[in-house]
Amino acid sequence: MKSGADNNPGPRIQTRRFASRAELNAALVDRLIRALTEANRSGPPRAVMLSGGSTPIPVYRVVATRKPRAAGTVVVMFTDERYVPQDNEASNYFQSRPLLDALALPKERVLRVRTELSLQEAAEDYERRIFTLLNSGGTIGLGL
């Protein structure tokens, strides 16, 4: 006898190909704006996880110029932050500041890695805040 879990393949991952970097960027801009604006107006938080690097940073800048109005439950967090000061150009948090400034989220809705702490403390703090988000019923709506 198979359990119900065996019959459920889990979430599906959709793969898309783009003919150009411009098409990819346009699709990312649209998807990010949707994730930021279509979350619930109330209820449990819904996180958008931002990464760094040469692919998403230009997208963040375009989204910032459009000044989307973030939904009331959106939380921004980071997927692959570097352990550098928050004002260092290598910091994903720093690179995403134009987007964060345009969103004007309250400080508590931006979960940055607190690199002013020791590496161990920063990792433990970030893990604790992620678990707090998830244990409160929060979800991750988009991860880049």
Side-chain angles (χ1 to χ4, degrees):
M1 173 184 240
K2 291 187 175 187
S3 70
D6 293 337
N7 296 326
N8 181 356
R12 290 178 43 121
I13 296 175
Q14 181 183 21
T15 302
R16 294 177 55 193
R17 291 180 175 256
F18 297 92
S20 68
R21 178 66 169 256
E23 286 184 23
L24 169 64
N25 285 354
L28 284 173
V29 166
D30 290 342
R31 182 64 186 97
L32 182 54
I33 288 174
R34 276 197 327 268
L36 292 167
T37 61
E38 292 180 356
N40 298 330
R41 296 286 171 205
S42 63
R46 184 168 178 147
V48 173
M49 298 177 74
L50 303 178
S51 65
S54 62
T55 300
I57 297 300
V59 170
Y60 302 159
R61 292 184 181 129
V62 170
V63 173
T65 65
R66 296 187 184 178
K67 299 191 184 300
R69 186 173 189 152
T73 60
V74 166
V75 172
V76 172
M77 54 195 302
F78 297 87
T79 61
D80 63 344
E81 183 61 284
R82 294 164 183 89
Y83 185 70
V84 296
Q86 69 178 6
D87 59 353
N88 185 299
E89 289 188 19
S91 164
N92 295 337
Y93 172 78
F94 178 81
Q95 291 292 325
S96 67
R97 284 302 306 268
L99 174 59
L100 296 173
D101 291 345
L103 293 172
L105 294 171
K107 184 179 176 181
E108 64 273 4
R109 289 184 29 214
V110 178
L111 301 182
R112 70 173 184 84
V113 177
R114 296 175 50 206
T115 57
E116 66 274 14
L117 301 174
S118 73
L119 178 59
Q120 182 69 32
E121 291 170 324
E124 290 170 355
D125 174 72
Y126 199 57
E127 178 182 49
R128 179 185 50 75
R129 290 185 295 143
I130 290 170
F131 279 122
T132 298
L133 173 99
L134 296 174
N135 288 334
S136 72
T139 60
I140 298 171
L142 176 66
L144 299 177

